[in-house]
C-alpha cells in the first residue's frame, strides 16, 4: 500500500479479469449522459465499455469543443473525469 504523497506508479497493470463481462460491456454502467465538449456519447460508450484494442479515430478531439475551450482559458487547469462514473478518486 502506498503512503499519501507518494507518486503512483504508472501504468497500473491488471490481469484479464478487469475486462471480464459486466452489466454494461466491461463496466457496471454506461457513460454519463452529458459529456463535456460535445463528445458523442455513443462513441464514448463504445470506447469505454465495448473496446479492447483501440480508442477514437485520430483527430476526433478536433471535432469537439475541447480545443476552443482550452484556448479560451489558457491559464486554467483542465481536470479530466472518468466517462462512466465522474470524478476520479485521487
Amino acid at each position: 500500500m502506498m503512503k499519501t504523497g507518494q507518486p503512483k506508479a504508472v501504468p497500473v497493470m491488471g490481469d484479464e479479469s478487469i475486462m471480464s463481462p459486466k452489466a454494461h460491456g466491461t463496466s457496471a454502467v454506461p457513460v454519463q449522459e452529458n459529456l463535456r465538449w460535445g463528445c458523442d456519447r455513443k462513441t464514448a460508450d463504445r470506447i469505454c465499455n465495448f473496446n479492447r484494442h483501440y480508442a477514437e479515430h485520430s483527430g476526433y478531439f478536433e471535432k469537439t469543443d475541447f480545443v476552443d475551450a482550452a484556448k479560451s482559458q489558457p491559464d486554467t487547469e483542465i481536470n479530466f473525469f472518468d466517462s462512466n462514473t465522474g470524478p476520479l478518486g485521487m
Side-chain angles (χ1 to χ4, degrees), residues 32 35-37 78-88 90:
Q32 300 174 69
L35 298 173
R36 295 191 299 178
W37 306 306
I78 298 173
N79 292 307
F80 295 90
F81 300 91
D82 182 276
S83 299
N84 288 58
T85 60
L88 298 176
M90 297 293 196

Side-chain angles (χ1 to χ4, degrees), residues 41-80:
R41 184 171 186 257
K42 184 175 179 180
T43 299
D45 196 50
R46 178 181 46 80
I47 293 165
C48 295
N49 301 313
F50 298 95
N51 176 43
R52 290 298 306 272
H53 302 289
Y54 305 103
E56 67 276 3
H57 295 289
S58 175
Y60 171 75
F61 76 97
E62 295 173 324
K63 296 176 182 173
T64 70
D65 299 332
F66 174 74
V67 174
D68 290 336
K71 286 181 178 179
S72 72
Q73 298 180 326
D75 298 322
T76 302
E77 181 177 294
I78 298 173
N79 292 307
F80 295 90

Side-chain angles (χ1 to χ4, degrees), residues 1-4 6-7:
M1 177 176 253
M2 285 189 204
K3 295 179 182 176
T4 304
Q6 290 182 334

